[in-house]
Amino acid sequence: MNSSYSKLIENLEYLKLSQMITHLDETIDFMNHNQLSFAETLIKLTDYEIDMKQINMVKSMVKVAAFPHLKEVKDFDFLFQPSINKEQILDFTTLRFIERKENIVFLGSSGVGKTHLATSIGIAAAKKRTSTYFIKCNDLILNLKKAKLENRLEARLKHYAKYKLLIIDEIGYLPIDAEDAKLFFQLIDLRYEAKSTILTTNANFKSWGDIFQDPKIANEILDRVLHHATVINIVGDSYRLKDHIQIENKKS
């Protein structure tokens, strides 16, 4: 038994099955006490390894997505922002909108929780092993401009187009010149009716012509973004300042 046990440990180490090594003794005890078959014992033992691999895969997916923080839906204070339909946000986390290749646009003034909600949906997607990537609009534009200068724009566009869910944050915070607007349009056009995109913006759609400094391109972008989209218009106080506001309310 000892030689067989040692050989088994040696084999598991060679195969780098660390969870099976960790849980080997307790699984053997469980097998003996419950008269499990060999197959049942092997299933129980391999489940430990699979569970850990899935946990690590989720961590990897979340890391690759480049989220600015790891705030989830459960961390959002819906009571502070009553204009937001909590059930609707929870429905987004089922990822049905991704299956339908639909978009989401979070519209509202600075600090109302747009990025938090967009990220929380992204984390839900990454946890379900859906390829997801988060990027601020200005960084996206800079990356596309750089790729164009280096004659690798097509490859860069394909890179951003491949994600099942792309989150583009802070559209409208910085102006985008007409040439850069064309780069942005190319990406939106590539993803149109093929993949889902979440956008956050502080600018109403009428002002997008000014943001992109080309009303025609702005309309083409909006046409593709909004064709299959849910727009969440958040009306309320700054979510970032809610703790300060609550303190002031208690004082008064």
Side-chain angles (χ1 to χ4, degrees), residues 2-46:
N2 285 340
S3 60
S4 298
Y5 181 86
S6 299
K7 178 59 178 172
L8 177 56
I9 293 289
E10 188 181 314
N11 286 354
L12 293 174
E13 286 175 346
Y14 181 80
L15 293 169
K16 297 181 179 177
L17 299 172
S18 59
Q19 291 305 305
M20 290 179 69
I21 295 169
T22 301
H23 297 280
L24 182 59
D25 289 345
E26 66 183 79
T27 305
I28 291 172
D29 290 341
F30 188 84
M31 174 191 71
N32 291 331
H33 283 112
N34 294 277
Q35 297 182 323
L36 295 188
S37 68
F38 173 73
E40 288 171 329
T41 305
L42 206 51
I43 288 168
K44 183 173 177 60
L45 197 55
T46 51

Side-chain angles (χ1 to χ4, degrees), residues 144 148 153-154 157 161 179-191 221:
L144 292 177
K148 186 181 179 182
L153 177 61
E154 187 178 350
L157 284 169
E179 286 304 307
D180 294 343
K182 290 174 185 175
L183 298 177
F184 189 83
F185 167 76
Q186 286 181 67
L187 175 59
I188 295 299
D189 190 50
L190 269 176
R191 296 185 61 82
I221 290 167

Side-chain angles (χ1 to χ4, degrees), residues 8-246:
L8 177 56
I9 293 289
E10 188 181 314
N11 286 354
L12 293 174
E13 286 175 346
Y14 181 80
L15 293 169
K16 297 181 179 177
L17 299 172
S18 59
Q19 291 305 305
M20 290 179 69
I21 295 169
T22 301
H23 297 280
L24 182 59
D25 289 345
E26 66 183 79
T27 305
I28 291 172
D29 290 341
F30 188 84
M31 174 191 71
N32 291 331
H33 283 112
N34 294 277
Q35 297 182 323
L36 295 188
S37 68
F38 173 73
E40 288 171 329
T41 305
L42 206 51
I43 288 168
K44 183 173 177 60
L45 197 55
T46 51
D47 276 346
Y48 288 116
E49 201 67 44
I50 289 168
D51 289 346
M52 184 54 67
K53 285 192 187 314
Q54 287 179 336
I55 289 168
N56 289 337
M57 190 178 293
V58 166
K59 285 180 180 176
S60 176
M61 292 288 286
V62 169
K63 187 177 180 181
V64 166
F67 297 120
H69 48 65
L70 296 181
K71 294 177 182 176
E72 301 184 53
V73 171
K74 62 182 174 60
D75 304 315
F76 193 84
D77 186 354
F78 287 94
L79 293 175
F80 184 76
Q81 293 297 28
S83 69
I84 300 170
N85 183 335
K86 182 179 180 179
E87 294 307 314
Q88 186 179 38
I89 302 300
L90 290 173
D91 183 61
F92 290 144
T93 64
T94 67
L95 312 186
R96 288 195 304 149
F97 78 100
I98 295 177
E99 292 169 19
R100 297 172 181 174
K101 300 175 175 60
E102 296 171 349
N103 302 323
I104 303 170
V105 181
F106 286 104
L107 173 65
S109 56
S110 180
V112 293
K114 303 184 298 295
T115 300
H116 182 148
L117 291 171
T119 300
S120 66
I121 295 166
I123 290 171
K127 281 187 169 183
K128 291 178 182 175
R129 294 191 282 181
T130 299
S131 60
T132 304
Y133 193 72
F134 177 102
I135 191 166
K136 291 194 179 295
C137 183
N138 189 52
D139 292 335
L140 174 65
I141 296 294
L142 290 174
N143 289 346
L144 292 177
K145 280 177 72 171
K146 186 171 184 285
K148 186 181 179 182
L149 288 170
E150 294 170 356
N151 293 316
R152 53 182 185 87
L153 177 61
E154 187 178 350
R156 202 65 187 158
L157 284 169
K158 283 181 179 177
H159 169 76
Y160 289 126
K162 75 180 180 183
Y163 294 102
K164 286 188 177 180
L165 177 61
L166 180 66
I167 302 170
I168 305 174
D169 192 37
E170 296 186 346
I171 296 172
Y173 284 82
L174 294 170
I176 300 164
D177 69 40
E179 286 304 307
D180 294 343
K182 290 174 185 175
L183 298 177
F184 189 83
F185 167 76
Q186 286 181 67
L187 175 59
I188 295 299
D189 190 50
L190 269 176
R191 296 185 61 82
Y192 175 58
E193 294 189 325
K195 304 285 173 60
S196 292
T197 307
I198 297 178
L199 304 98
T200 76
T201 182
N202 65 340
N204 65 64
F205 301 130
K206 288 181 181 178
S207 66
W208 278 37
D210 295 328
I211 291 164
F212 289 97
Q213 298 181 31
D214 185 328
K216 186 172 181 294
I217 287 287
N219 284 335
E220 293 291 338
I221 290 167
L222 281 170
D223 183 57
R224 284 158 177 76
V225 166
L226 298 178
H227 185 202
H228 305 289
T230 302
V231 178
I232 309 297
N233 191 5
I234 306 174
V235 180
D237 294 318
S238 170
Y239 187 80
R240 293 193 199 106
L241 300 177
K242 74 181 184 72
D243 292 333
H244 298 287
I245 292 169
Q246 287 166 355

